[in-house]
Amino acid sequence: MSKASSTVATTDNEAAKPKVAVVVFLLNGKKVLLGRRRSAVGNSTFALPGGNLEFGENFEECAAREVKEETGLEIGATELLTVTNNLFVEGPKPLHYVTIFLRSSLTNTDQVPQNVEPEKCDGWDWYDWDNLPQPLFWPLEKMVNSGFNPFPA
């Protein structure tokens, strides 16, 4: 049995099931929207808006719902950028997330992000892609360090 499968075999049934997260690179010029997490996983790190895919939702619906729930912002059309496979084995309970990364922009550039879920986030702000705040949430940090760029070529 491989290390990964032995890790899964020793967890409870719910933790052993991968979950799907949809996150959004919400772009505004050369800036991206990030919030500081308040969570058992990645606490105090900067992350993109997003969350769990709900039963029956497509990726675009999930992205629009999550961005609205977390920031109060309305987003335009989305574009699939990449998918990552993330194992969080160091937290209180192991988690496995397949993360769908989308790109979008605001439907109206006069909108201002609000901290709609203060129990989950310390607040949202726009950051220059070339000068991101630290520390970044691990999956995002991994992408940035790989040279990934969410901006259209």
Side-chain angles (χ1 to χ4, degrees):
M1 186 179 278
S2 73
K3 185 175 181 181
S5 58
S6 66
T7 300
V8 172
T10 61
T11 62
D12 67 45
N13 193 30
E14 189 58 32
K17 295 178 183 174
K19 297 178 181 181
V20 177
V22 175
V23 297
V24 182
F25 280 100
L26 189 52
L27 307 180
N28 188 357
K30 284 294 185 188
K31 295 185 180 213
V32 62
L33 187 69
L34 298 174
R36 188 186 292 264
R37 294 173 60 90
R38 297 184 69 174
S39 170
V41 177
N43 190 50
S44 294
T45 61
F46 288 88
L48 301 164
N52 292 322
L53 183 69
E54 293 184 356
F55 184 83
E57 269 186 323
N58 65 41
F59 302 152
E60 295 81 7
E61 292 166 338
C62 181
R65 176 183 54 77
E66 286 289 349
V67 170
K68 182 74 171 171
E69 286 176 1
E70 294 179 359
T71 70
L73 299 172
E74 306 261 343
I75 62 172
T78 59
E79 179 183 353
L80 176 65
L81 293 180
T82 192
V83 177
T84 61
N85 189 39
N86 305 291
L87 291 173
F88 299 92
V89 294
E90 308 229 347
K93 71 176 185 179
L95 296 171
H96 181 180
Y97 269 94
V98 174
T99 305
I100 312 299
F101 287 87
L102 302 176
R103 171 172 53 212
S104 187
S105 58
L106 298 173
T107 56
N108 176 346
T109 57
D110 292 334
Q111 296 179 84
V112 176
Q114 305 298 312
N115 193 15
V116 182
E117 297 178 322
E119 70 284 359
K120 295 180 182 180
C121 180
D122 285 333
W124 298 96
D125 207 349
W126 298 101
Y127 295 93
D128 287 318
W129 182 250
D130 296 328
N131 190 26
L132 295 173
Q134 298 296 321
L136 295 174
F137 187 43
W138 172 70
L140 178 59
E141 178 183 46
K142 188 172 156 184
M143 291 178 72
V144 169
N145 289 341
S146 76
F148 180 84
N149 185 334
F151 293 88

